[in-house]
Each structure stands twice: as structure tokens, then as C-alpha cells.
Amino acid sequence: MTWGEFRPAENKALLDTTLVNPAYEIQAGDILVSRANTVEHVGAPVLVGDVRPHLLLSDKSLRFTPGSSVDRSWFVYWLRSPAARRAIAAKASGTSDSMRNISQSDFKAIVLPVPPAAEQQRIADALHERLARLNEIKTHLVATRQRLERLRDVVMAAAATGVLACDADPQHMTIDSSPSVTDGTLPPLATGWRWARLQNIADIVGGISKDAKNQHDSALTEVPYLRVANAQRARLDLSQVSKIRVPPKALEKLRLRSGDLLMAEGGDRDKLGRGWIWQEQIEDCIHQNHLFRARIQEHATRPELLGWYVNSAARSWFEANGKQSVNLASISISKVKMLPVPVPPADTQEQLDFVDLGARVLARFNRLVTFCEKGLAHAAALRRTLLAEAFAGRLVPQDPHDEPAEDLLKRIRAEREAAEAERKATRRASAPDRRTGRSATGQPAPETAPPRAPTPLPEGEQTTLPLEFTE
């Protein structure tokens, strides 16, 4: 449900089809809703199209089966409308900041406006046409933004190695190998530049670990501290900065200074090393243990040049030297100290010229990326407006000759009552008579085998369910 479309190939299916309960088997035309998900996606719906056999409804999902006269596309669009999303958010609960749950009973209690069946189809057709155009625009904007970001990485790497300002052909240079890291192929450098290990031009330290006991000690100093979420690719996101209580010695040791480069120690593998330069935006700020701080030695290089390199050409080095656990990747401080970094000529003014040229070119790319992001935000707002107008009755014309919605609801109630009566009759027909042991159809009642006693297990062993799943 999170993707907004049904992808049967990415779901799990039972290998042993004898375990399939037909009551939970997903069928084409089903409307599925995410019952437990993130704040953004709880209650997200999909309309099932082609589906492979033996695909079952999970306990984190709900299935809606509208009446025969209800347009299913219209119903899914309504579930995505701003009004429905607000109603779902109001009823969803959860203790986590990111995860929410909504019960079946709460979902069933949500009130929705029901137009005549013919108008439902007109609404669905109009939304399909308009939203398809919006989706096409969104696809182009996303692709354009991705191309711009790739080109921006190329420019950052060229600026960080001097190639952007170099008239002569760049030179491929080497660095003494180290058995502790894998350097791979290093990019070419401009004339006068050289390679060095990060530990040769900067002091690198890790941050502070959060000690829960200290957070209630009023004698300790409370200061702001940066987390991995604050260190984005070539920028710092300071919209949410947490605070922590630390001893005075820790504050003195870890207080950030202008020009310090922050790099992520853990997270997704492709995000290792990302981060940017601290410019004293917040007084007495420190950083957590999942961020490394590199403080450049005097005149060795400009922080911007090092930051551009770490966030562009060095990404492959971080991925190659990171360690992957089950869910997260990380890299040790000893390896980060061995990162090969380009070192410009010692002339301070020349270094400033490199930074000025790189900043001017990158500013153009940043403006274009901003235009794409504004376009995507506008498309999202227009989508919400279209859905809101559709379910306020203002997107398509109304026809007084349409069958009234009340007649539609009466027919749905009649269908439901008939289906319930049929289920009860089926249960009565299959139930065995107490005197004869036969059902109403004359068939003998199925024999019920007595439960088997569980087989004792040797001490220390555990049982497993006989289920096999495949991705």
C-alpha cells in the first residue's frame, strides 16, 4: 500500500498451498488498506489488478468490498482525499513518533459523502485524466532533479580536485597504499595538487554517546547536539536540534568550531560520510557519537574543498570501506582517518579562488534543483486540491436524472442482508443434527479426530511452525 499501487511480485506467497485459507486470498478488484504503517501511509489504499494465486491478506491490512454499484476507482480516490486522510489521522493511534495503527471498527465508522453511481464514475474518470497528467509532470521533475544532482556531484568533485579551474589536463596521481583500507581508483588532480590521508591534514574525533542517567542530572550543562539526521548531503539541516546534558569536560572537548567538517558514521551504506561544514550557527553545540568531526590543520585546505570531495568523489570510498550489519552500515574512525583527500597548493588566495569558482557554479545547480522541488510541491498541492474539489461535488457536473444516492444505499443494504442470509443458511445446512449425526443435506457429519498429545522436546530445544515463505 505504501507505493500507491499494487505490486504482486514484491509480496510474499506461501509455498505450501494446502495452507491457503480462501477467506484471506487476495483477488483482482479487492481494495486493500494499510492498517499499520508510518504516519504518512497509515490507511493508504490500493486497488488490486492482476494478482498471482495464493497471495494472502496480512494482519496489517484491511480489505474493503464495496457494493456492486459502487465505483471502486472512485472509492480508492476518496480514501486518498484530504478529508479521508484527516479522518484516518484523527482515528489512528500509536505510541511511536513515526508509526500509527487504525482498527477495523474505527475505519468503518468514518463518514463519507456518497454521490449517485453515475456521478461516481464521472468523478473517477475526471480524476484519472487529470491526475495522470500530474503524475507525468511529477515523473519528469523527479528525473530532472536526479540528473541535476548527479551533475552537481560531478561539479563538486571537479572543484574539490582543482579540475574545475584547471586549464591543463588533470594528472592521475597515486597515494601510498594501506592494508587497512581499500582506496580503489582515485580521481585525477589538477597540476600542483597532491593526495594525503585525512589524518595528515585534520584532527578527527567521534562524538558523545547519550547517557540516560546524565539526562536527569541538573548539575550538568544542557547543550544542543547534532545527530545523523542533521548531517545531510553537502548541507546541515538544523530545523530540529536536540539537547543533551554533558559534563563540562565533554563540552570543552566536543564544542564545534567554525570550519569543522561533520561526517556520518552510520546509516544506509550510500550515506556514510555525508555531512557538511559547521559555521557556528548555534552557540555551544556538540555532536553525537554517530558523527565524526574533522578539524582541518591551519592552511592545509579549505573546508569547502574537503566537504565537496567527501560528498562527491569519496562516496564510493566510504561504501567500499564501510561495514554492513543487518539493517545499517557503519565505518570506524580508524578507517576514516585513512581517507585519501586531495590537497591544493599551499597558497591561501589560490585556495579561496578555487572555493569561489566552485561556489558560483554550484549555486546555479542549486537554483535549478530548487525549481524542481518547488514544481513537485506545487504538483502535490494541486493533487490535493483536485481530490478535495472532486469530493465536494465541484469537479464534474451533476445530473438531476442520475439515480439518487439513497437508492444506491438501499440496494447495498439489500445486497448485504441477502448475503448474510445466504451465509446463515449455508451454516445451518452443513450443521449436523444432534440425534442423527447428519446434516440437513443428508451427509454424515465429518469425523473429528481427537487432539494429539504434543511430542515432548529435549530440554533447550524449540519448536517452529511448518511454514515456508518466499520473497
Side-chain angles (χ1 to χ4, degrees):
M1 278 63 87
T2 302
W3 301 304
E5 62 182 17
F6 187 70
R7 301 180 183 179
E10 298 193 24
N11 290 275
K12 295 179 179 178
L14 286 169
L15 292 179
D16 186 352
T17 57
T18 63
L19 299 173
V20 172
N21 184 341
Y24 297 107
E25 194 164 4
I26 296 172
Q27 305 291 340
D30 283 350
I31 295 172
L32 307 180
V33 169
S34 180
R35 185 180 64 80
N37 211 318
T38 62
V39 173
E40 181 183 1
H41 295 295
V42 64
V46 291
L47 179 60
V48 177
D50 293 334
V51 59
R52 62 183 180 177
H54 312 312
L55 190 62
L56 304 184
L57 190 69
S58 78
D59 63 338
K60 299 297 188 291
S61 307
L62 297 174
R63 170 168 51 202
F64 290 154
T65 307
S68 60
S69 299
V70 174
D71 188 288
R72 291 172 182 251
S73 295
W74 167 84
F75 187 56
V76 171
Y77 281 134
W78 178 80
L79 286 168
R80 294 173 179 169
S81 70
R85 298 302 303 157
R86 286 193 298 269
I88 292 168
K91 291 182 177 293
S93 61
T95 56
S96 168
D97 292 337
S98 58
M99 297 298 295
R100 291 291 184 273
N101 294 271
I102 184 167
S103 68
Q104 181 174 331
S105 58
D106 281 340
F107 224 129
K108 289 168 67 175
I110 295 175
V111 178
L112 70 155
V114 182
E119 188 174 345
Q120 291 177 24
Q121 186 170 356
R122 291 197 296 274
I123 291 172
D125 291 343
L127 284 173
H128 181 75
E129 177 188 352
R130 290 162 173 77
L131 293 178
R133 293 206 299 269
L134 268 183
N135 290 337
E136 186 177 354
I137 292 170
K138 177 183 176 181
T139 298
H140 285 302
L141 285 172
V142 169
T144 300
R145 183 179 62 182
Q146 290 173 342
R147 287 195 294 270
L148 286 169
E149 289 172 346
R150 287 195 295 270
L151 286 171
R152 187 170 58 182
D153 284 354
V154 172
V155 172
M156 280 197 294
T161 56
V163 174
L164 190 64
C166 181
D167 294 330
D169 292 336
Q171 304 295 313
H172 284 279
M173 302 180 188
T174 60
I175 188 171
D176 291 340
S177 61
S178 169
S180 62
V181 293
T182 302
D183 291 329
T185 302
L186 300 176
L189 298 177
T191 303
W193 289 59
R194 62 183 177 85
W195 288 105
R197 300 288 180 185
L198 183 58
Q199 64 182 5
N200 299 135
I201 67 163
D203 299 319
I204 305 99
V205 298
I208 192 167
S209 300
K210 190 169 185 177
D211 188 339
K213 295 183 295 185
N214 288 346
Q215 304 318 302
H216 303 289
D217 188 347
S218 58
L220 299 181
T221 305
E222 186 178 61
V223 296
Y225 81 110
L226 301 185
R227 301 165 292 120
V228 171
N230 300 118
Q232 298 296 312
R233 180 77 60 197
R235 66 183 178 88
L236 295 179
D237 180 359
L238 303 180
S239 58
Q240 292 185 340
V241 177
S242 301
K243 291 192 174 183
I244 188 172
R245 291 188 181 275
V246 295
K249 287 184 178 180
L251 171 60
E252 200 58 37
K253 176 184 176 182
L254 297 175
R255 182 187 285 116
L256 293 171
R257 298 180 189 173
S258 182
D260 287 345
L261 175 64
L262 295 164
M263 298 172 287
E265 172 266 348
D268 295 336
R269 198 175 189 89
D270 63 342
K271 294 179 177 60
L272 295 179
R274 76 175 186 185
W276 193 236
I277 303 156
W278 182 251
Q279 295 174 324
E280 295 188 356
Q281 296 95 324
I282 302 173
E283 187 178 357
D284 285 340
C285 190
I286 63 176
H287 59 104
Q288 72 167 178
N289 58 315
H290 295 303
L291 288 175
F292 297 124
R293 183 199 74 197
R295 183 167 291 165
I296 301 170
Q297 297 169 7
E298 190 174 7
H299 306 312
T301 185
R302 292 293 304 173
E304 296 87 348
L305 297 175
L306 180 58
W308 288 335
Y309 180 74
V310 165
N311 286 282
S312 60
R315 291 172 66 172
S316 59
W317 186 92
F318 278 99
E319 289 188 37
N321 289 280
K323 180 178 66 176
Q324 185 73 46
S325 62
V326 177
N327 295 318
L328 298 175
S330 63
I331 190 168
S332 66
I333 191 170
S334 60
K335 288 192 174 182
V336 170
K337 288 180 178 181
M338 299 303 294
L339 170 69
V341 293
V343 180
D347 188 292
T348 304
Q349 185 56 50
E350 192 173 5
Q351 291 182 12
L352 289 172
D353 291 342
F354 290 137
V355 172
D356 180 65
L357 175 60
R360 283 188 284 112
V361 177
L362 287 169
R364 300 175 187 175
F365 281 92
N366 291 336
R367 284 196 296 271
L368 292 173
V369 170
T370 300
F371 289 149
C372 288
E373 291 172 346
K374 286 182 177 179
L376 289 168
H378 183 66
L382 186 54
R383 179 187 180 86
R384 291 191 296 270
T385 300
L386 280 170
L387 289 167
E389 290 294 291
F391 296 102
R394 294 189 291 263
L395 185 63
V396 298
Q398 295 176 330
D399 188 341
H401 300 295
D402 287 342
E403 176 195 45
E406 183 57 36
D407 291 349
L408 166 64
L409 295 175
K410 289 178 181 177
R411 193 162 57 253
I412 292 173
R413 284 193 289 270
E415 289 176 0
R416 182 177 297 172
E417 290 170 0
E420 181 61 26
E422 184 178 352
R423 281 195 294 270
K424 289 181 179 179
T426 302
R427 285 198 296 269
R428 284 196 300 269
S430 58
D433 186 278
R434 291 184 179 180
R435 294 170 301 171
T436 65
R438 293 179 175 270
S439 67
T441 59
Q443 299 298 320
E447 294 185 6
T448 303
R452 291 184 299 174
T455 303
L457 291 175
E459 186 177 352
E461 294 192 12
Q462 296 180 345
T463 57
T464 59
L465 292 176
L467 298 176
E468 293 184 74
F469 292 90
T470 180
E471 294 285 338

